[in-house]
Amino acid sequence: MKKTTLYFVILVFCACAELERSNPLDPKNPESAREMTVLVEAFINDSAGSVVDYAVSGLERLIREYDSQDLVYLEHHIAKTSGTDPLALDASLSRYNFFVPVSTEQGIPDVFFDGSANRVQGASSPESAYQRYNEKMQQELAFNCYFTIEGQFSIQDDQLKITADIARLGPDNASDLAVIAIIADDLSQNFRLLVRCISPVDTWSSIKTGEIRQVDQAIDLQAYWSPRIAVFLLIQSSRTGHVLGIKKL
């Protein structure tokens, strides 16, 4: 498990000019990188019965075994048939259709590790689901992350306002990127973070290695969101949906 504390604000954004180029979090260091935080997105429907229960049980066990620096879990409720799940979100269905555009290949539960990078569909038991999820987690944790995100949010005048800096690490430029904000609601006060809002923030045709960009977004608050909302900012390929970095603000 990763135990590294990342002092991004000090090391990356405030004093980059004074850092030695050997620092792994300095965007100007061509060898810069950070350890991967894996985004796990589960697409489910509460009317789907035991197969979803198996998946959720397997995910709960997975999440107990990894800390928040390793894993971010977001739960999407989707409904192709209206009325089958009162928690269903149209934006979550759109995200699922982006990941799996061919309808004959769709089916829940469907769990994605870093977007389109790794996928586990279906669940025959809690144990088998956990084993399959853990295998994907280990695969994704083996990769480095070449973005770092530092930001915050505030509540002002019935709006949630996000500001963040995103730096490109490593030796290579990156292209075809989308920055997305996701608002999640901790209805059950445990591991299950329900996705309430998916808001596009920015798109970039390219970003150079060592470059730092600022993003801003204002999102209208909704009365049905609980006071325990969590705000995440992620960067992904706009072509494939592969998630390249995520941060809880």
Side-chain angles (χ1 to χ4, degrees):
M1 305 298 173
K2 303 191 298 289
K3 302 297 183 184
T4 305
T5 302
L6 302 177
Y7 298 99
F8 293 129
V9 175
I10 296 173
L11 294 177
V12 178
F13 300 118
C14 296
C16 283
E18 301 175 3
L19 290 172
E20 295 182 6
R21 293 284 81 93
S22 61
N23 190 294
L25 301 180
D26 177 6
K28 297 300 184 181
N29 172 12
E31 302 300 323
S32 60
R34 55 166 290 190
E35 292 179 307
M36 183 66 74
T37 298
V38 180
L39 172 59
V40 181
E41 296 178 87
F43 292 84
I44 64 172
N45 181 294
D46 275 349
S47 68
S50 60
V51 66
V52 166
D53 294 337
Y54 296 156
V56 170
S57 295
L59 288 163
E60 184 171 14
R61 179 179 169 187
L62 185 81
I63 293 160
R64 287 199 305 266
E65 297 184 6
Y66 291 89
D67 63 34
S68 59
Q69 292 184 46
D70 293 318
L71 184 154
V72 167
Y73 172 73
L74 296 176
E75 186 171 291
H76 297 266
H77 286 240
I78 61 176
K80 286 188 174 182
T81 302
S82 179
T84 57
D85 190 330
L87 298 177
L89 183 71
D90 287 343
S92 287
L93 181 58
S94 295
R95 186 165 176 81
Y96 183 59
N97 287 333
F98 175 56
F99 287 163
V100 191
V102 180
S103 61
T104 55
E105 297 176 1
Q106 296 178 348
I108 54 175
D110 220 344
V111 182
F112 293 82
F113 294 76
D114 286 334
S116 60
N118 260 320
R119 175 189 184 192
V120 175
Q121 190 177 41
S124 59
S125 71
E127 176 63 26
S128 67
Y130 162 77
Q131 294 294 341
R132 295 169 73 199
Y133 300 150
N134 194 45
E135 178 182 352
K136 298 299 186 184
M137 272 296 300
Q138 291 299 314
Q139 291 174 4
E140 289 304 301
L141 286 173
F143 294 102
N144 284 328
C145 176
Y146 293 101
F147 286 95
T148 189
I149 302 169
E150 278 301 324
Q152 61 185 357
F153 74 92
S154 60
I155 306 297
Q156 302 175 27
D157 302 324
D158 296 325
Q159 284 192 319
L160 186 151
K161 297 189 176 182
I162 295 170
T163 60
D165 290 317
I166 300 176
R168 174 61 178 174
L169 306 179
D172 300 317
N173 301 336
S175 60
D176 299 324
L177 301 170
V179 182
I180 298 170
I182 295 183
I183 314 302
D185 210 342
D186 188 3
L187 291 182
S188 57
Q189 299 187 51
N190 57 26
F191 82 101
R192 298 183 70 176
L193 286 173
L194 170 68
V195 173
R196 288 295 201 180
C197 174
I198 303 173
S199 179
V201 175
D202 208 347
T203 57
W204 301 335
S205 59
S206 64
I207 182 172
K208 295 180 180 179
T209 180
E211 186 177 355
I212 300 172
R213 293 190 184 178
Q214 186 176 69
V215 295
D216 301 275
Q217 180 76 327
I219 300 170
D220 292 335
L221 294 174
Q222 302 300 318
Y224 58 87
W225 295 354
S226 83
R228 296 184 298 276
I229 56 172
V231 181
F232 299 88
L233 200 63
L234 65 89
I235 185 165
Q236 68 180 40
S237 167
S238 57
R239 292 180 293 103
T240 68
H242 183 189
V243 174
L244 304 171
I246 186 168
K247 180 68 179 291
K248 181 179 180 180
L249 305 184

